[in-house]
């Protein structure tokens, strides 16, 4: 049931006094003055309001009746209703014959303000609940009956195929309140950018978006999602001065797929920032290996996997050998193509590859050694950074 709060009641008073000029009081459902042009009267019980509330209709108080009621002045007191219920009353001070013509206008304006306030509260409540639902959907391994019921009450189809994206805002030197304001602006943009999209704030600078995954033909089209992300990023940059990054996960149709998509979107953002600090759009399909290896370097398995590359890094101060190794893998482990990519002589490349074998204690004729170094190079690239391949005439 709607209850009058002091801020709304005072807004009613302030607006009404602009119309009538005289004092206006607003009383709650117990007849207590909660707002008034005469602040000293706030908190007092209004005898005229008690009459209105007991009778359920307007009451006019002239000089004679005012003398019989304690603390009451001549005026007109009217019932305030919201959602078909009496929630209080509004009183205008003055001779009834003089202010009667304004009283009904004041009542209508007050009830309109109450309805608007109630609508805003309902919209804000629904928005909060939709955010909470979005987070629940992003993390749920299964669609429980409770989540399904909750979603249907909010007009959300919980079974609609969706893919997760994560958006990061770089706040820089802005105050947290300013960053939060930018997030709210982006939230509004995201919520209206695509039908059935859901958005929720994850932290002070991060948001999750659950986008419809399939096109009109019912197909998962990563290229189309990339184009949509690029267009959305452009709109975000227009509406916000803060740098924004967008990471798109992958669609999984099976149960728990949305939660996995959410995890992959976050891992894609992490891997993308590490390998491309200036990047703004990161897509899982572009960084599959880096994402799949996410977190491996933190365990003992990762340490063992990366031991040969660690030895190489210790002796390769300029990063020349690691750049050569990265170029060799990038060119399909073909020596001729690698030499051309690095703009070096084939003999120079052969020398570097033998040095890598010696330092790492590996044999490039063994598939296992090749795979191990490849995985280590991708895994370690997020932490140490593999130097970029470049043309180099030196050996």
């Amino acid at each position: 049931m709607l209850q009058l709060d002091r801020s709304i009641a005072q807004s009613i008073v302030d607006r009404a006094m602009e119309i009538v000029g005289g004092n206006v009081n607003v009383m709650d459902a117990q007849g207590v003055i909660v707002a008034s042009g005469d602040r000293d009267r706030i908190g007092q019980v209004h005898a005229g309001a008690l009459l209105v509330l007991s009778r359920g209709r307007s009451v006019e108080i002239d000089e004679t009746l005012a003398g019989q009621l304690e603390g009451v002045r001549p005026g007109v007191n009217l019932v305030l209703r919201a959602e078909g219920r009496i929630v209080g009353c509004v009183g205008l001070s003055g001779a009834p014959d003089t202010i009667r013509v304004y009283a009904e206008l004041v009542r209508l304006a007050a009830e309109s303000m109450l309805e608007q306030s109630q609508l805003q509260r309902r919209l804000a409540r629904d928005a909060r609940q939709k955010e909470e639902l979005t987070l629940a959907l992003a993390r749920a391994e299964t669609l429980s009956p409770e989540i399904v019921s909750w979603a249907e009450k909010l007009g959300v189809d919980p079974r609609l195929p969706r893919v997760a994206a994560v958006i990061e805002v770089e706040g820089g030197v802005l105050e947290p309140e300013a960053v939060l304001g930018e997030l709210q602006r982006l939230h509004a943009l995201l919520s209206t950018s695509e039908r059935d999209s859901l958005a929720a704030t994850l932290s002070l600078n991060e948001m999750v978006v659950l986008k419809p995954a399939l096109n009109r033909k019912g197909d998962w089209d990563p290229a189309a999602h990339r184009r949509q992300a690029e267009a959305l990023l452009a709109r975000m940059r227009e509406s916000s001065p803060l740098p924004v990054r967008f990471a798109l996960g992958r669609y999984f149709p099976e149960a728990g797929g949305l939660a996995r998509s959410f995890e992959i979107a976050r891992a894609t953002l992490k891997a993308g920032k590490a390998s491309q600090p200036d990047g703004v759009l990161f897509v899982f399909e572009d960084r599959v290996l880096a994402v799949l290896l996410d977190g491996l370097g933190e365990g003992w398995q990762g340490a063992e996997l990366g031991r040969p590359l660690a030895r190489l890094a210790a002796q390769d101060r300029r990063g020349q050998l690691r750049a050569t190794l990265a170029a060799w893998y990038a060119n399909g482990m073909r020596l001729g193509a690698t030499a051309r990519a690095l703009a070096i002589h084939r003999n120079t490349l052969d020398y570097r590859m033998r040095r890598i074998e010696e330092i790492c204690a590996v044999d490039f004729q063994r598939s296992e050694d090749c795979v191990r170094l490849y995985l280590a190079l991708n895994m370690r690239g997020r932490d140490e950074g593999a130097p970029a391949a470049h043309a180099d005439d030196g050996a």
Side-chain angles (χ1 to χ4, degrees):
M1 178 179 178
L2 177 65
Q3 293 182 338
L4 280 171
D5 63 51
R6 293 183 183 275
S7 60
I8 295 298
Q10 193 60 51
S11 296
I12 293 172
V13 168
D14 295 340
R15 183 171 297 185
M17 289 182 65
E18 293 177 0
I19 299 174
V20 300
N23 187 53
V24 176
N25 301 313
V26 172
M27 285 68 68
D28 63 16
Q30 286 71 48
V32 177
I33 300 176
V34 293
S36 174
D38 181 358
R39 300 303 175 93
D40 293 336
R41 300 192 67 187
I42 294 176
Q44 298 177 4
V45 176
H46 194 285
L50 295 177
L51 284 175
V52 172
L53 295 170
S54 64
R55 298 178 183 180
R57 57 182 177 81
S58 301
V59 172
E60 294 184 357
I61 300 176
D62 54 19
E63 290 286 353
T64 303
L65 184 56
Q68 300 173 7
L69 299 173
E70 183 177 354
V72 174
R73 302 170 186 173
V76 178
N77 297 279
L78 306 97
V79 175
L80 289 179
R81 288 184 171 86
E83 298 178 339
R85 301 177 180 178
I86 296 176
V87 295
C89 59
V90 58
L92 288 70
S93 298
D97 290 341
T98 303
I99 63 171
R100 185 181 298 118
V101 65
Y102 301 106
E104 185 63 18
L105 293 176
V106 170
R107 182 190 68 79
L108 291 173
E111 290 185 347
S112 176
M113 291 176 68
L114 287 173
E115 290 175 1
Q116 184 177 11
S117 172
Q118 180 68 353
L119 176 60
Q120 291 174 343
R121 288 181 181 179
R122 187 179 297 113
L123 291 175
R125 180 200 64 201
D126 289 349
R128 287 194 301 271
Q129 290 187 355
K130 189 169 285 188
E131 276 209 65
E132 293 171 3
L133 172 66
T134 300
L135 294 175
L137 288 171
R139 292 166 175 155
E141 292 296 332
T142 59
L143 277 180
S144 66
E146 291 78 13
I147 290 180
V148 172
S149 175
W150 182 13
E152 290 174 347
K153 287 179 181 178
L154 293 173
V156 173
D157 181 0
R159 297 182 178 85
L160 180 71
R162 289 185 170 89
V163 61
V166 173
I167 294 173
E168 182 185 74
V169 175
E170 192 173 307
V173 296
L174 291 183
E175 293 294 326
E177 294 78 6
V179 178
L180 185 59
E182 291 301 321
L183 272 181
Q184 291 173 341
R185 186 160 32 245
L186 290 178
H187 186 287
L189 173 63
L190 292 166
S191 299
T192 57
S193 63
E194 187 176 7
R195 184 178 178 181
D196 294 320
S197 280
L198 302 173
T201 301
L202 292 168
S203 65
L204 183 60
N205 68 331
E206 201 174 38
M207 299 176 62
V208 60
V209 184
L210 306 182
K211 297 163 43 55
L214 308 182
N215 59 23
R216 294 180 179 178
K217 297 180 180 179
D219 297 326
W220 160 244
D221 185 352
H225 280 276
R226 187 192 298 270
R227 292 192 296 271
Q228 292 170 5
E230 290 170 347
L232 187 57
L233 272 169
R235 292 178 61 190
M236 284 192 237
R237 284 195 287 267
E238 290 176 358
S239 64
S240 174
L242 299 180
V244 178
R245 296 186 180 95
F246 188 104
L248 180 66
R250 182 181 177 184
Y251 169 60
F252 297 94
E254 61 268 20
L258 188 55
R260 188 183 308 172
S261 179
F262 174 47
E263 291 178 5
I264 283 179
R266 300 193 83 171
T268 300
L269 177 64
K270 178 182 175 182
K273 287 167 57 180
S275 62
Q276 190 182 355
D278 296 331
V280 295
L281 176 59
F282 308 120
V283 180
F284 171 67
E285 275 74 9
D286 296 339
R287 305 171 190 276
V288 173
L289 185 60
V291 173
L292 295 180
L293 292 175
D294 180 58
L296 181 59
E298 300 171 3
W300 68 266
Q301 296 96 331
E304 288 300 314
L305 187 64
R307 194 177 299 278
L309 197 61
R311 288 196 296 267
L312 182 64
Q315 297 190 41
D316 184 32
R317 299 292 180 87
R318 294 174 55 196
Q320 185 183 76
L321 295 179
R322 282 173 290 163
T324 299
L325 182 62
W328 183 60
Y329 283 121
N331 287 276
M333 298 183 289
R334 293 173 297 171
L335 292 173
T338 304
R340 287 192 295 273
L342 293 174
I344 60 177
H345 194 275
R346 172 66 180 268
N347 291 341
T348 300
L349 178 60
D350 289 341
Y351 169 76
R352 291 184 187 179
M353 297 303 290
R354 286 196 301 271
R355 285 287 294 147
I356 294 171
E357 286 182 310
E358 292 172 6
I359 296 171
C360 295
V362 298
D363 181 357
F364 285 131
Q365 299 300 314
R366 296 181 68 233
S367 298
E368 182 176 329
D369 287 350
C370 293
V371 171
R372 181 179 182 183
L373 271 188
Y374 180 72
L375 294 177
L377 191 67
N378 279 274
M379 179 185 69
R380 295 277 178 173
R382 296 196 302 274
D383 301 324
E384 297 173 355
H390 56 84
D392 191 340
D393 294 329

